[in-house]
Amino acid sequence: MKTKIQWLSLFGFLFLAANCSAFDLRQSLKDKLKVDVPQVNPKLTEAVSVAKEVRGPDETEEIAIGRQISGNLLGAAPLVKDAKLQKYVNQVGAWVASQSERPDLPWHFGVIQSDDVNAFAAPGGYIFVTLGLYRLLQNEADLAGVLGHEVGHVIRKHHLKILQQSQLVEAGSNILSRQVGNDKLQNLIGSGAEIVARGLDKDAEFEADRIGVVLATRAGYDAYGLPGVLQQIGHFAAADNSVALLFKTHPLPDDRLNKLDSAMGERFDSIKGQTLEKRFYRVKK
Ligand SMILES: [Zn+2]
């Protein structure tokens, strides 16, 4: 229990310090890990730290990593200064995420200031949609589908798994060069923002599309929100700058629509979900 409270206070502090560049996350985690892993002898510590990498970060670490990555992303593109918009997106997002198998993550949703059409998910439940993508949405079901796709990445730990792989590779080379240090977590976080922006393999994207449709439908929305958005994105010319990164990091919208179509079949046709067009929060032009 004491450990739990220590963790809670540490991450309460991290939350406050997320935007403070002077705050040393690595040192903080290192200090904490020292408490959890008594340094009886160096070989034992090394074994514990290697085992930890094989197992992967626990949920608290996952959230801390995601928070740090989000800080990096927000440094590049800050949140849109519209408190009503941010509150609305958080309400819809939290409701969609509550339909997933990880309802208890501290989910955060935001719209970031960028004319690009894109969305990002960082481990631990941090999800961002660009203003360019938000402007394409017609109703709340569209938003729920888009957020559901990103929630899918988080619950399946798509980015976290890549981070872990890179960490493993790094740990392997460190062991070979006899430099097993405490810098692994820092390296993991450093490459995180790049991995989140770089994109995943196609299967992870198709899986997130399927999860997005299922979560939005479970939440009571029209199942065709996400497919509708993909259709709209498909109308952009590939040469259009605003979709360049999205097209580079995701399968083409037509491929995603075809995969979704065969996964959905006719099973969603009889479900009467809502689009909630009137409730949808529209941003000023
Ligand atoms: Zn995706």
Side-chain angles (χ1 to χ4, degrees):
M1 196 60 187
K2 192 181 168 218
T3 312
K4 197 171 177 191
I5 289 164
Q6 282 175 337
W7 270 116
L8 284 174
S9 58
L10 170 67
F11 286 95
F13 176 54
L14 269 180
F15 184 72
L16 290 171
N19 289 325
C20 170
S21 58
F23 178 72
D24 191 340
L25 173 74
R26 180 177 67 97
Q27 194 55 47
S28 220
L29 287 173
K30 230 164 78 178
D31 293 346
K32 180 60 202 151
L33 287 173
K34 265 184 204 158
V35 179
D36 282 342
V37 185
Q39 297 198 342
V40 182
N41 87 45
K43 279 204 170 132
L44 178 65
T45 316
E46 190 175 313
V48 169
S49 106
V50 171
K52 201 172 181 60
E53 272 154 31
V54 175
R55 196 195 65 221
D58 63 26
E59 189 172 295
T60 316
E61 289 161 337
E62 178 189 348
I63 293 165
I65 290 164
R67 178 170 295 148
Q68 188 74 9
I69 291 171
S70 305
N72 291 356
L73 277 174
L74 290 174
L79 289 171
V80 175
K81 287 196 180 77
D82 181 341
K84 280 185 184 163
L85 168 69
Q86 304 297 354
K87 190 180 171 196
Y88 170 71
V89 169
N90 269 284
Q91 281 169 341
V92 174
W95 173 238
V96 171
S98 75
Q99 313 298 321
S100 78
E101 65 245 43
R102 301 187 76 187
D104 297 329
L105 276 181
W107 293 94
H108 293 83
F109 299 84
V111 181
I112 54 174
Q113 191 70 54
S114 163
D115 291 331
D116 266 25
V117 173
N118 218 332
F120 305 95
Y126 293 85
I127 289 171
F128 302 100
V129 177
T130 61
L131 186 57
L133 173 55
Y134 191 88
R135 285 190 196 281
L136 288 184
L137 308 176
Q138 313 277 323
N139 55 48
E140 201 169 296
D142 288 359
L143 175 63
V146 167
L147 297 178
H149 171 100
E150 301 303 328
V151 168
H153 284 315
V154 174
I155 62 175
R156 288 296 144 90
K157 301 186 177 176
H158 285 153
H159 294 103
L160 194 66
K161 280 176 190 161
I162 296 185
L163 292 167
Q164 263 170 258
Q165 283 164 11
S166 63
Q167 188 190 30
L168 272 176
V169 169
E170 206 155 308
S173 60
N174 280 344
I175 290 163
L176 284 176
S177 60
R178 295 179 181 283
Q179 290 175 338
V180 181
N182 289 315
D183 295 334
K184 281 167 225 148
L185 193 59
Q186 183 58 30
N187 290 332
L188 182 76
I189 289 164
S191 57
E194 190 227 312
I195 284 168
V196 166
R198 196 181 63 195
L200 300 156
D201 67 55
K202 285 185 175 190
D203 286 338
E205 293 303 340
F206 294 139
E207 186 181 30
D209 281 341
R210 293 194 298 273
I211 294 172
V213 167
V214 169
L215 293 183
T217 309
R218 266 189 215 159
Y221 294 104
D222 184 289
Y224 292 92
L226 180 62
V229 175
L230 289 175
Q231 233 159 15
Q232 279 209 68
I233 294 171
H235 292 151
F236 278 81
D240 193 317
N241 263 343
S242 62
V243 291
L245 182 64
L246 182 77
F247 282 12
K248 216 168 102 183
T249 57
H250 284 70
L252 289 176
D254 276 356
D255 295 341
R256 294 172 66 183
L257 276 169
N258 286 337
K259 286 271 184 188
L260 259 185
D261 191 42
S262 55
M264 289 170 76
E266 290 168 0
R267 276 177 295 156
F268 290 81
D269 292 359
S270 58
I271 303 170
K272 296 260 177 289
Q274 303 208 52
T275 56
L276 297 182
E277 207 165 324
K278 280 192 187 137
R279 197 167 78 176
F280 182 64
Y281 183 90
R282 286 167 206 284
V283 281
K284 291 166 205 87
K285 295 279 171 200

